[in-house]
Amino acid sequence: MKLLVTGGAGFIGSNFIFYMRKEHPEDLIICLDSLTYAGNLSTLASVMDQPNFKFVKASITDRRAVYRLFEEEQPDIVVNFAAESHVDRSIENPEVFLETNIIGTAVLMDACRIYGIRRFHQVSTDEVYGDLPLDRPDRFFTEQTPLHTSSPYSSSKAGADLLALAYHRTYGLPVTISRCSNNYGPYQFPEKLIPLMIINALHNKPLPVYGKGENVRDWLYVEDHCKAIDRILQHGRVGEVYNIGGHNEMRNIDIVKLICNALGKPESLITYVTDRKGHDMRYAIDPSKIHSELGWLPETRFQDGIGRTIRWYLENQDWWKTIISGEYQNYYEKMYGGRSSAAPLTSDMKGKEE
Ligand code: NAD
Ligand code: DAU
């Protein structure tokens, strides 16, 4: 089987490549990634020289490059992770989200139509359902929940989902879609909640919690997400959407306190900052469809997964130090500088962590 994995130099895509290497070593994997700020080739170092792995640097919005790749490689399966993925960035600059997440997905699916494909899998998000109220813990997102987006990011992902379903109905493209809750684990870019809090805490820097920190996310260890996608590729029904999540709802403030505790840092580092615009209150997935149809259940308990994740950031400081010493500085200053007393990370912090 030949798999084209787009966005494989990012967080979930790279973990998916490692997972598939382990579970299906006979498969040939081609990773297509344009290496935006969020893509990191060093993440893929362990697979880069393997004979059944190939890396191609190109954008999914580049029709010519995508068609050339399909013509040369004739992949059997496409798994589309490539996306602009950070909500805060989408609030600052929506356009690139529309280009990559909607147009890029359309280009990939056009290539699939022209060159033929066994499956196009779209990696989507629970954010397409909007949010749930905090005072209704009995309510969950099912695959029937109407799309009701809050941010330019989630709107662009919903647009791509609708397009994928339209390509299935109109052209008969063998499409599946998965909508997963918040992932955590190794190789997550430090702009996201968990790695940002780990790295700031290590530097004894303020931990910027948006609003009151009461927003709830449904956390899933990244390898469990990868396993679910593998199940969908093997046994999922085309034209179907599968929600992925593990009933692991936690308030942001509790996650941040847990990280402080695990690292032996004082909770006084926690700084409440101006809330995210349009901030979704609660996400919570009902995973009964993927459980009953495909037998998938999450296997990593949160206390194990978060411990593993914190250890990974402690043991792989070179990986994230390279990232935070570059352009990320400007991003951090822009996002957090005017928000509160949270100070930006500076390059002189290298080596200052305890
Ligand atoms: P990420 O930002 O860590 O990685 C995105 C990758 O896509 C990067 O390697 C980047 O270089 C690449 N990319 C961006 N634009 C591209 C383009 N035009 N052409 C080719 N490559 C491009 O994202 P992630 O957190 O790994 O998320 C992967 C996918 O999973 C996204 O589609 C996201 O919407 C979805 N998702 C993420 C989560 C989560 O918690 N992180 C949860 C559910 C779904
Ligand atoms: O639910 C799936 C989604 O999860 C994915 O589709 C997105 O790609 C992914 O980025 C993630 O979106 P969130 O917005 O939930 O993740 P983020 O890590 O940005 O924020 C998690 C929560 O923490 C959210 O309520 C905002 C809050 N937060 C975040 C940051 C970066 C803070 O309080 N402070 C921060 O500095």
Side-chain angles (χ1 to χ4, degrees):
M1 201 66 81
K2 207 184 243 192
L3 266 85
L4 177 62
V5 177
T6 69
F11 166 45
I12 309 175
S14 61
N15 277 284
F16 180 73
I17 289 171
F18 303 145
Y19 175 83
M20 294 301 274
R21 279 270 68 96
K22 196 167 49 139
E23 296 298 317
H24 308 282
E26 68 290 354
D27 284 351
L28 201 129
I29 298 180
I30 302 153
C31 170
L32 172 70
D33 198 299
S34 62
L35 299 179
T36 66
Y37 78 94
N40 197 334
L41 216 42
S42 74
T43 303
L44 295 173
S46 64
V47 292
M48 213 59 176
D49 293 332
Q50 291 182 1
N52 49 3
F53 178 81
K54 186 171 173 180
F55 180 83
V56 177
K57 182 177 182 305
S59 171
I60 58 168
T61 60
D62 182 344
R63 197 171 281 275
R64 210 186 269 202
V66 169
Y67 284 12
R68 195 182 320 126
L69 179 65
F70 272 71
E71 196 166 328
E72 284 168 8
E73 299 290 351
Q74 302 282 342
D76 300 298
I77 289 173
V78 176
V79 186
N80 183 27
F81 291 95
E84 288 294 333
S85 68
H86 194 37
V87 173
D88 292 322
R89 287 182 191 257
S90 83
I91 294 166
E92 290 297 305
N93 177 20
E95 193 174 346
V96 66
F97 284 74
L98 309 185
E99 281 165 6
T100 296
N101 299 0
I102 302 179
I103 304 292
T105 303
V107 169
L108 284 172
M109 291 194 298
D110 283 338
C112 291
R113 285 202 297 134
I114 293 167
Y115 295 97
I117 200 84
R118 285 203 207 175
R119 179 75 64 81
F120 177 83
H121 183 74
Q122 175 66 5
V123 180
S124 186
T125 169
D126 59 358
E127 295 200 17
V128 299
Y129 299 122
D131 64 354
L132 296 163
L134 288 181
D135 61 358
R136 289 296 305 272
D138 56 314
R139 288 180 57 192
F140 299 92
F141 296 138
T142 72
E143 290 79 1
Q144 278 71 49
T145 302
L147 303 191
H148 186 80
T149 58
S150 309
S151 71
Y153 162 70
S154 53
S155 306
S156 68
K157 293 296 289 184
D161 283 15
L162 292 173
L163 210 51
L165 293 172
Y167 271 56
H168 170 65
R169 177 163 171 156
T170 305
Y171 305 116
L173 198 71
V175 165
T176 42
I177 296 175
S178 53
R179 295 182 179 145
C180 190
S181 60
N182 285 62
N183 284 213
Y184 68 100
Y187 298 109
Q188 187 166 29
F189 195 84
E191 67 191 349
K192 305 284 165 56
L193 180 77
I194 289 180
L196 185 142
M197 295 300 166
I198 296 172
I199 292 170
N200 277 21
L202 282 173
H203 290 110
N204 299 310
K205 284 283 148 189
L207 307 177
V209 171
Y210 297 166
K212 294 181 185 160
E214 286 171 347
N215 306 64
V216 168
R217 296 291 182 266
D218 183 359
W219 294 95
L220 184 73
Y221 192 63
V222 62
E223 198 173 36
D224 280 324
H225 184 184
C226 298
K227 199 170 292 188
I229 294 173
D230 186 20
R231 281 283 164 89
I232 295 169
L233 292 179
Q234 293 195 46
H235 306 293
R237 289 180 293 137
V238 298
E240 291 290 318
V241 173
Y242 293 91
N243 282 354
I244 307 174
H247 286 302
N248 184 52
E249 291 178 51
M250 292 188 70
R251 297 190 311 163
N252 294 339
I253 188 64
D254 297 326
I255 298 260
V256 178
K257 285 183 178 172
L258 184 154
I259 290 170
C260 286
N261 246 321
L263 292 172
K265 300 291 181 180
E267 290 181 6
S268 57
L269 288 175
I270 294 171
T271 312
Y272 293 93
V273 302
T274 314
D275 209 351
R276 176 184 277 174
K277 288 179 188 147
H279 199 174
D280 281 335
M281 216 54 225
R282 169 176 168 249
Y283 302 147
I285 284 277
D286 173 354
S288 18
K289 179 174 174 180
I290 192 166
H291 176 50
S292 61
E293 273 192 28
L294 308 181
W296 176 89
L297 274 179
E299 290 169 20
T300 308
R301 290 182 315 162
F302 186 75
Q303 54 265 52
D304 298 332
I306 194 70
R308 220 181 289 166
T309 303
I310 292 172
R311 250 192 328 279
W312 188 89
Y313 279 89
L314 285 171
E315 288 167 2
N316 291 275
Q317 301 203 14
D318 285 350
W319 182 85
W320 54 261
K321 276 182 178 164
T322 313
I323 290 169
I324 67 167
S325 66
E327 181 52 30
Y328 182 67
Q329 288 300 321
N330 300 335
Y331 166 81
Y332 199 93
E333 175 58 35
K334 191 170 168 210
M335 283 292 173
Y336 296 93
R339 221 169 185 151
S340 75
S341 58
L345 292 167
T346 57
S347 50
D348 67 358
M349 285 171 195
K350 279 190 179 181
K352 277 198 182 162
E353 66 279 359
E354 291 173 358

